[in-house]
Amino acid sequence: MVRQIWWYREALVRFLVPCKTDLSSEGQKGQFDMDIQEGDRLTLKKKHPCGSFEWEVLRIGADFRLKCAGCGHQIMIARKQVEKNVRKICYGGNDENRKLGL
């Protein structure tokens, strides 16, 4: 029963939160204008050992602190590696800061 409720909640989040899925090469090779902020959910190419592809952004800078959506494990990973392995960005952070460009 708990697993069914978790799946339903995750399905609702995916449909209600706007996502950017077109991450094809924009400009020169390897140059993306990724607007990733704290609170966003990322889908990466490789899955975590728990089976989840979804990660929540907790901290940004030269590296990212990501939290696995499946098991809650937190990792620190270099910005370059995240930008290389991201497939989809679901915006869930503070929309006011995003509009202001902060």
Side-chain angles (χ1 to χ4, degrees), residues 3 12 25 29 31 49 54 67 71 73 78-79 97:
R3 186 177 201 121
L12 277 177
S25 59
K29 183 179 178 184
Q31 298 293 325
E54 301 279 329
K67 179 180 174 184
C71 64
H73 182 75
R79 174 182 285 272
N97 288 344

Side-chain angles (χ1 to χ4, degrees), residues 3 6-7 22 34 37 47-48 68 80 92-93 95-96 98:
R3 186 177 201 121
W6 174 81
W7 178 85
D22 184 21
M34 292 196 177
Q37 293 186 1
K47 65 181 175 179
H48 192 249
C68 178
K80 186 175 180 181
D95 291 335
E96 295 174 10
R98 191 178 306 281

Side-chain angles (χ1 to χ4, degrees), residues 22-77:
D22 184 21
L23 298 176
S24 59
S25 59
E26 300 169 1
Q28 296 178 352
K29 183 179 178 184
Q31 298 293 325
F32 296 109
D33 184 26
M34 292 196 177
D35 184 24
I36 300 173
Q37 293 186 1
E38 293 178 11
D40 292 347
R41 293 176 68 92
L42 306 177
T43 302
L44 299 181
K45 292 180 182 178
K46 294 184 178 180
K47 65 181 175 179
H48 192 249
C50 72
S52 176
F53 288 93
E54 301 279 329
W55 295 85
E56 181 182 354
V57 179
L58 300 178
R59 178 188 168 293
I60 55 174
D63 50 8
F64 286 87
R65 177 173 292 278
L66 302 178
K67 179 180 174 184
C68 178
C71 64
H73 182 75
Q74 294 184 13
I75 61 168
M76 292 288 287
I77 187 169

